[in-house]
Every structure is written in C-alpha cells, then in structure tokens.
Amino acid sequence: MGEIAFTAGALYVIVLLRAGGTFAVGWLAGAGARRSRFAERISSAKFQRVERAIQRWGAPVVAVSFLTVGFQTAANFLAGSMRMPLTRYLPALFVGGAAWALVYATVGIGVLGVLADLFAERTALGVAAVTALLLVVCGVVVHRRRRTVPPAPVPADGEAS
C-alpha cells in the first residue's frame, strides 16, 4: 500500500507541474498563439472541439480531461489561452490531477506487479506478453496514422506520373 501512496504522490506533483505549466504557457501565449506558428495546430479539429467544450462547460472539462488520452494538454493550454480565472482552474487542476495520479498509480503498480510475477515465474510467457503488447500498440499507431493521412493526389489522365 505504501508504494501506491508514494507513486500517487509523485505522479500528483508531476501532473500539477506539467498541467499547470501548460496552462501558464497558454495564459502567456493568449491570443498571440493564434497568430504564431502554433496557429495551425490550435485551429485543428481536436483543439476546436476542446475549446467549444471549455466554453460550454468550463472547469469541469479541465478536471475530466485528466482521465482522457490526447485531450488533457489541449484542455489545459486552451484554458490558459482563454484566460480561465485561477479560482476556477486550480480546483479543476487539483481534482483532475488527483484522479489522474490515483488511476495511473494503481493501474501502473498493478500491471508492473503482474509483469514482475510473470517474468519471475515464466520468463518466456512474460517476454511473449510484452511482445504481444508492443505489437498491438504499434498496430494501433500505424492504423491511426494511415487513417489520418490524406491520400496522395491522383494525376489527371494526360499527366505523367
């Protein structure tokens, strides 16, 4: 139990610094970010979806964003760039960060414990499990990249390839 508390505490400090730093960068960038080299990234569909959610629901979106993948950084940055008041942002950061740290500490410690036992008792099975996990992750990444890459333009009939 002590290792979970220590891990959760360490993760909590990390997430407070990372998410708070992202918020601060967004705050400092403000409207200037929309005119900078980040403008294309900020105007992506994901960022626009996050911005609409923050405008509609406010701080609870920031708190819940910690339980998602790929939404958290955008939510914190946009909350900062939209100048969300600290009196609303900080409670969302503390609650969402605590939830994130607890989930990652308990799941992370559990998975590491299972893998350690598996490697100690059946090394070949442990290697096979890790290999299978890596293949699944690589497959998902390749599938997502292929799905998001636009197809190459097809030349007209009279043009050379």
Side-chain angles (χ1 to χ4, degrees):
M1 184 67 178
E3 62 188 26
I4 290 177
F6 176 77
T7 303
L11 288 172
Y12 189 55
V13 170
I14 290 168
V15 78
L16 291 179
L17 293 172
R18 188 179 138 260
T22 303
F23 175 84
V25 168
W27 184 280
L28 293 172
R34 298 189 195 292
R35 293 185 301 268
S36 71
R37 62 187 174 112
F38 298 111
E40 182 179 314
R41 193 167 218 184
I42 293 172
S43 63
S44 73
K46 179 171 75 171
F47 269 76
Q48 289 177 349
R49 189 171 59 245
V50 174
E51 190 170 29
R52 282 192 305 271
I54 290 173
Q55 288 169 344
R56 182 170 182 185
W57 302 103
V61 170
V62 175
V64 171
S65 76
F66 286 92
L67 301 177
T68 66
V69 176
F71 191 79
Q72 181 186 100
T73 302
N76 283 284
F77 180 84
L78 289 171
S81 71
M82 294 167 66
R83 304 288 173 128
M84 179 182 283
L86 286 176
T87 55
R88 291 178 57 213
Y89 176 75
L90 289 177
L93 172 64
F94 295 143
V95 170
W100 179 88
L102 288 173
V103 166
Y104 274 81
T106 55
V107 171
I109 293 287
V111 167
L112 289 176
V114 167
L115 287 176
D117 291 344
L118 192 59
F119 273 103
E121 295 173 12
R122 297 187 177 140
T123 306
L125 187 57
V127 170
V130 170
T131 303
L133 180 64
L134 288 173
L135 287 172
V136 167
V137 169
C138 289
V140 168
V141 169
V142 167
H143 175 72
R144 291 184 93 188
R145 286 189 181 213
R146 284 186 180 165
R147 199 176 67 192
T148 58
V149 173
V154 178
D157 290 338
E159 296 180 20
S161 305

